[in-house]
Amino acid sequence: MVYIVLQRAAREVLARTFGDEGTELGPAETVADLAAYVARRETERPRWVWDYTRRWYPSLLAGGVRVERCVDLRLSHAIMRNSTLTAGSALATSPRSAWDYSLVVDEPRVRDEALFDFDEADPIGEPDAAAEFLLQREAIAASADPGRIGLLLAAESAGALIACEMKSAGLPVDADTHDRLLTDLLGPRPRYGERPAKLEALLDVMRGILDSNDVNPDSPAELLKALGRAGIMATSTRSWELKEIKHPVIAPLLEYKKLSRLMTANGWSWLDTWVADGRFRPEYVPGGVVTGRWAASGGGALQLPKQIRGAVIADPGWKFVVADASQLEPRILSALSADRRMAEAGRGDLYEGIVASGAVKTRAQAKIAMLGAMYGATSGESGRLMPALTRAFPQAIALVEAAARAGENGEIVTTRLGRSSPLPGSEWQAAQGDAYGEAATPQTAARARGAARSWGRFTRNFIVQGTAAEWALCWMAGLRGRLWSLAEDQALDRPHLVFFLHDEVIVHTPARLAEQVVLEVRAAAVDAGRLIFGAMPVDFPVTAVTVDNYAQAK
DNA sequence: TACCCCAGCGCG
DNA sequence: AAAGCGCGCTGGGGTA
């Protein structure tokens, strides 16, 4: 494997080539035309090593240059700084440096988005990418499990490439259809600052029932008061609480809230702001969530409501292949814990399998029980089902229980591939101290216990959600390679990823290749399971459908 | 005016 | 069903 480390200098880019052993191959090169250089050396199939993919790759993509693989030094650094698999390495024990700052929200240098669009060196000074690269290679080599951490870093870096490519391609959104969907539900687009007809009509109905002409349903505090005056003693205006109340105003109010939400979050102004040239281009943020899931910013990409998915329409002659990993997190749990009985139950529909095992009576119960096991439910139906689930699958439940105990004790937990949880913050530590200190009271003890359990629920879920995120990254990285091989056209004329949502992807593909894409999506899922869990016989079935618009996928 | 926090709800 | 995990966005309402 050849690694080419790119480094911004004052006016140009410096490229240094390294071999597997960390030995430098040949002299450093000064690069004037980066896109041309990368395109030329990409034929060697190197790993491009750079500080931050989002800083380098968009301009390459804009120049028509796609790369197969990279090392994102900042994302890799963030993982190895915390991972129990690299604890004790020079990287993990060194003081915080520039390599630690990019993912810290409060860090002033990243507040300025322009920094990343800027094709020049950071005026504050460029950290030495080659030195960091060698430090990382050393940490991987000395790791307790180089294979796992290496796979995680490769998958994370592939994710960084995919995030840029998806933004570059964009998700196709049809403005006219979006407008029609809104008009059907809300009435025609109102003038700025006005409510659409449907909301206005519902408001009239509510005001009539409440006998109040100035109630503002958009203000929870005001609404609560108005409900109180009408004799409705709710403690909040949350929909699920209102649903339990029998009163004529509830039905129009719930409908108002639903439609109002659509209007504000994904209405006309959403389209104006976030969709341009028929494409929705959110900023995906790999590693943006503490568990390793992606975050996104700009238009709420990961919350695209079902109501408007019909406006996500494939180009003429193209299709969407919408694929999601069925029941991913419980399957991850059975693989992580090597619980063969749960793996057996997951041969087909996992929840039906749990019913067949005799643990619970209905599919709905199986689902609630599994969610409770992974989230740490203690009460309600979910809590009541736990003992039966534990009897049926002791090995799987023991794994999440151990993770919960670790968190309650303030310890770290680690995913399958090596992403470790953060330590609880100083407030948490202080609360634990208060429970035993001289000033301890029943109140401080209860607060400490509550905080401990809460952190335990976090670590319990961390290993499952985090390992599921690793699976999804491996799935998507493998799929990206497979899609690329399906055609010989220009990048955007080949099948390509346009959307990712934790356990679901959308591929935009020429219609003639859709059937093949479905096969690749499934094959990539099989690969991902093998890569991460080896011979452990856990199935990761994928539901994949070929559609013209996103709403047609269930 | 510019921020910050909260309540509420969308997604997995 | 409304207890338990992780997010981002909006409008309201407060403070500086």
Side-chain angles (χ1 to χ4, degrees), chain A residues 195-210:
Chain A
R195 288 190 179 88
K198 180 75 186 184
L199 286 183
E200 205 56 61
L202 285 165
L203 191 51
D204 279 347
V205 171
M206 288 155 52
R207 285 176 172 160
I209 295 170
L210 294 176

PDB file of all heavy atoms in Angstrom, chain A residues 195-210:
ATOM      1  N   ARG A 195     -50.573  32.403   8.006  1.00  0.00           N
ATOM      2  CA  ARG A 195     -50.790  30.962   8.087  1.00  0.00           C
ATOM      3  C   ARG A 195     -51.514  30.494   6.830  1.00  0.00           C
ATOM      4  O   ARG A 195     -52.382  31.203   6.322  1.00  0.00           O
ATOM      5  CB  ARG A 195     -51.650  30.624   9.300  1.00  0.00           C
ATOM      6  CG  ARG A 195     -50.965  30.776  10.646  1.00  0.00           C
ATOM      7  CD  ARG A 195     -51.845  30.174  11.735  1.00  0.00           C
ATOM      8  NE  ARG A 195     -51.221  30.264  13.057  1.00  0.00           N
ATOM      9  CZ  ARG A 195     -51.345  31.309  13.871  1.00  0.00           C
ATOM     10  NH1 ARG A 195     -52.089  32.336  13.505  1.00  0.00           N
ATOM     11  NH2 ARG A 195     -50.741  31.317  15.045  1.00  0.00           N
ATOM     12  N   PRO A 196     -51.213  29.287   6.377  1.00  0.00           N
ATOM     13  CA  PRO A 196     -51.981  28.752   5.248  1.00  0.00           C
ATOM     14  C   PRO A 196     -53.431  28.469   5.671  1.00  0.00           C
ATOM     15  O   PRO A 196     -53.728  28.352   6.859  1.00  0.00           O
ATOM     16  CB  PRO A 196     -51.239  27.471   4.878  1.00  0.00           C
ATOM     17  CG  PRO A 196     -50.403  27.133   6.059  1.00  0.00           C
ATOM     18  CD  PRO A 196     -50.140  28.396   6.802  1.00  0.00           C
ATOM     19  N   ALA A 197     -54.293  28.348   4.661  1.00  0.00           N
ATOM     20  CA  ALA A 197     -55.740  28.272   4.908  1.00  0.00           C
ATOM     21  C   ALA A 197     -56.131  27.169   5.885  1.00  0.00           C
ATOM     22  O   ALA A 197     -56.945  27.376   6.783  1.00  0.00           O
ATOM     23  CB  ALA A 197     -56.465  28.070   3.572  1.00  0.00           C
ATOM     24  N   LYS A 198     -55.526  25.997   5.713  1.00  0.00           N
ATOM     25  CA  LYS A 198     -55.921  24.859   6.549  1.00  0.00           C
ATOM     26  C   LYS A 198     -55.609  25.137   8.034  1.00  0.00           C
ATOM     27  O   LYS A 198     -56.402  24.822   8.917  1.00  0.00           O
ATOM     28  CB  LYS A 198     -55.194  23.611   6.074  1.00  0.00           C
ATOM     29  CG  LYS A 198     -55.511  22.359   6.846  1.00  0.00           C
ATOM     30  CD  LYS A 198     -56.879  21.795   6.500  1.00  0.00           C
ATOM     31  CE  LYS A 198     -57.187  20.613   7.416  1.00  0.00           C
ATOM     32  NZ  LYS A 198     -58.448  19.953   7.081  1.00  0.00           N
ATOM     33  N   LEU A 199     -54.443  25.706   8.296  1.00  0.00           N
ATOM     34  CA  LEU A 199     -54.083  26.022   9.686  1.00  0.00           C
ATOM     35  C   LEU A 199     -54.997  27.104  10.242  1.00  0.00           C
ATOM     36  O   LEU A 199     -55.425  27.042  11.403  1.00  0.00           O
ATOM     37  CB  LEU A 199     -52.623  26.487   9.767  1.00  0.00           C
ATOM     38  CG  LEU A 199     -51.558  25.414   9.605  1.00  0.00           C
ATOM     39  CD1 LEU A 199     -50.169  26.008   9.783  1.00  0.00           C
ATOM     40  CD2 LEU A 199     -51.766  24.292  10.600  1.00  0.00           C
ATOM     41  N   GLU A 200     -55.313  28.085   9.410  1.00  0.00           N
ATOM     42  CA  GLU A 200     -56.203  29.173   9.837  1.00  0.00           C
ATOM     43  C   GLU A 200     -57.580  28.607  10.191  1.00  0.00           C
ATOM     44  O   GLU A 200     -58.177  29.001  11.207  1.00  0.00           O
ATOM     45  CB  GLU A 200     -56.301  30.191   8.698  1.00  0.00           C
ATOM     46  CG  GLU A 200     -56.650  31.604   9.132  1.00  0.00           C
ATOM     47  CD  GLU A 200     -55.685  32.185  10.173  1.00  0.00           C
ATOM     48  OE1 GLU A 200     -54.486  32.319   9.896  1.00  0.00           O
ATOM     49  OE2 GLU A 200     -56.173  32.507  11.265  1.00  0.00           O
ATOM     50  N   ALA A 201     -58.060  27.677   9.377  1.00  0.00           N
ATOM     51  CA  ALA A 201     -59.385  27.096   9.633  1.00  0.00           C
ATOM     52  C   ALA A 201     -59.382  26.311  10.944  1.00  0.00           C
ATOM     53  O   ALA A 201     -60.324  26.412  11.746  1.00  0.00           O
ATOM     54  CB  ALA A 201     -59.782  26.192   8.469  1.00  0.00           C
ATOM     55  N   LEU A 202     -58.318  25.516  11.165  1.00  0.00           N
ATOM     56  CA  LEU A 202     -58.242  24.747  12.414  1.00  0.00           C
ATOM     57  C   LEU A 202     -58.165  25.689  13.612  1.00  0.00           C
ATOM     58  O   LEU A 202     -58.750  25.420  14.667  1.00  0.00           O
ATOM     59  CB  LEU A 202     -57.016  23.833  12.390  1.00  0.00           C
ATOM     60  CG  LEU A 202     -57.137  22.607  11.498  1.00  0.00           C
ATOM     61  CD1 LEU A 202     -55.772  21.975  11.257  1.00  0.00           C
ATOM     62  CD2 LEU A 202     -58.095  21.584  12.109  1.00  0.00           C
ATOM     63  N   LEU A 203     -57.464  26.776  13.449  1.00  0.00           N
ATOM     64  CA  LEU A 203     -57.339  27.751  14.524  1.00  0.00           C
ATOM     65  C   LEU A 203     -58.706  28.351  14.868  1.00  0.00           C
ATOM     66  O   LEU A 203     -59.047  28.511  16.050  1.00  0.00           O
ATOM     67  CB  LEU A 203     -56.360  28.853  14.097  1.00  0.00           C
ATOM     68  CG  LEU A 203     -55.885  29.832  15.167  1.00  0.00           C
ATOM     69  CD1 LEU A 203     -55.364  29.087  16.383  1.00  0.00           C
ATOM     70  CD2 LEU A 203     -54.813  30.733  14.596  1.00  0.00           C
ATOM     71  N   ASP A 204     -59.499  28.654  13.835  1.00  0.00           N
ATOM     72  CA  ASP A 204     -60.854  29.168  14.071  1.00  0.00           C
ATOM     73  C   ASP A 204     -61.671  28.184  14.891  1.00  0.00           C
ATOM     74  O   ASP A 204     -62.359  28.561  15.843  1.00  0.00           O
ATOM     75  CB  ASP A 204     -61.565  29.416  12.726  1.00  0.00           C
ATOM     76  CG  ASP A 204     -61.147  30.747  12.118  1.00  0.00           C
ATOM     77  OD1 ASP A 204     -60.528  31.561  12.852  1.00  0.00           O
ATOM     78  OD2 ASP A 204     -61.422  30.966  10.923  1.00  0.00           O
ATOM     79  N   VAL A 205     -61.605  26.927  14.497  1.00  0.00           N
ATOM     80  CA  VAL A 205     -62.357  25.896  15.215  1.00  0.00           C
ATOM     81  C   VAL A 205     -61.936  25.866  16.679  1.00  0.00           C
ATOM     82  O   VAL A 205     -62.761  25.871  17.597  1.00  0.00           O
ATOM     83  CB  VAL A 205     -62.130  24.514  14.563  1.00  0.00           C
ATOM     84  CG1 VAL A 205     -62.731  23.407  15.424  1.00  0.00           C
ATOM     85  CG2 VAL A 205     -62.714  24.481  13.162  1.00  0.00           C
ATOM     86  N   MET A 206     -60.627  25.855  16.909  1.00  0.00           N
ATOM     87  CA  MET A 206     -60.115  25.783  18.290  1.00  0.00           C
ATOM     88  C   MET A 206     -60.534  27.005  19.103  1.00  0.00           C
ATOM     89  O   MET A 206     -60.911  26.887  20.265  1.00  0.00           O
ATOM     90  CB  MET A 206     -58.590  25.667  18.267  1.00  0.00           C
ATOM     91  CG  MET A 206     -58.101  24.304  17.805  1.00  0.00           C
ATOM     92  SD  MET A 206     -56.441  24.362  17.088  1.00  0.00           S
ATOM     93  CE  MET A 206     -55.536  25.186  18.352  1.00  0.00           C
ATOM     94  N   ARG A 207     -60.454  28.175  18.485  1.00  0.00           N
ATOM     95  CA  ARG A 207     -60.826  29.396  19.208  1.00  0.00           C
ATOM     96  C   ARG A 207     -62.306  29.389  19.558  1.00  0.00           C
ATOM     97  O   ARG A 207     -62.703  29.861  20.632  1.00  0.00           O
ATOM     98  CB  ARG A 207     -60.471  30.631  18.375  1.00  0.00           C
ATOM     99  CG  ARG A 207     -58.969  30.906  18.389  1.00  0.00           C
ATOM    100  CD  ARG A 207     -58.592  32.063  17.495  1.00  0.00           C
ATOM    101  NE  ARG A 207     -57.179  32.411  17.697  1.00  0.00           N
ATOM    102  CZ  ARG A 207     -56.441  33.099  16.831  1.00  0.00           C
ATOM    103  NH1 ARG A 207     -56.967  33.519  15.686  1.00  0.00           N
ATOM    104  NH2 ARG A 207     -55.189  33.373  17.102  1.00  0.00           N
ATOM    105  N   GLY A 208     -63.099  28.830  18.651  1.00  0.00           N
ATOM    106  CA  GLY A 208     -64.532  28.721  18.939  1.00  0.00           C
ATOM    107  C   GLY A 208     -64.781  27.821  20.136  1.00  0.00           C
ATOM    108  O   GLY A 208     -65.516  28.175  21.063  1.00  0.00           O
ATOM    109  N   ILE A 209     -64.131  26.677  20.141  1.00  0.00           N
ATOM    110  CA  ILE A 209     -64.352  25.718  21.227  1.00  0.00           C
ATOM    111  C   ILE A 209     -63.838  26.266  22.556  1.00  0.00           C
ATOM    112  O   ILE A 209     -64.480  26.125  23.593  1.00  0.00           O
ATOM    113  CB  ILE A 209     -63.658  24.378  20.901  1.00  0.00           C
ATOM    114  CG1 ILE A 209     -64.308  23.732  19.664  1.00  0.00           C
ATOM    115  CG2 ILE A 209     -63.740  23.418  22.089  1.00  0.00           C
ATOM    116  CD1 ILE A 209     -63.572  22.548  19.124  1.00  0.00           C
ATOM    117  N   LEU A 210     -62.672  26.907  22.498  1.00  0.00           N
ATOM    118  CA  LEU A 210     -62.081  27.436  23.741  1.00  0.00           C
ATOM    119  C   LEU A 210     -62.671  28.790  24.113  1.00  0.00           C
ATOM    120  O   LEU A 210     -62.365  29.333  25.184  1.00  0.00           O
ATOM    121  CB  LEU A 210     -60.555  27.568  23.587  1.00  0.00           C
ATOM    122  CG  LEU A 210     -59.787  26.260  23.421  1.00  0.00           C
ATOM    123  CD1 LEU A 210     -58.312  26.545  23.179  1.00  0.00           C
ATOM    124  CD2 LEU A 210     -59.957  25.378  24.654  1.00  0.00           C
TER     125      LEU A 210
END
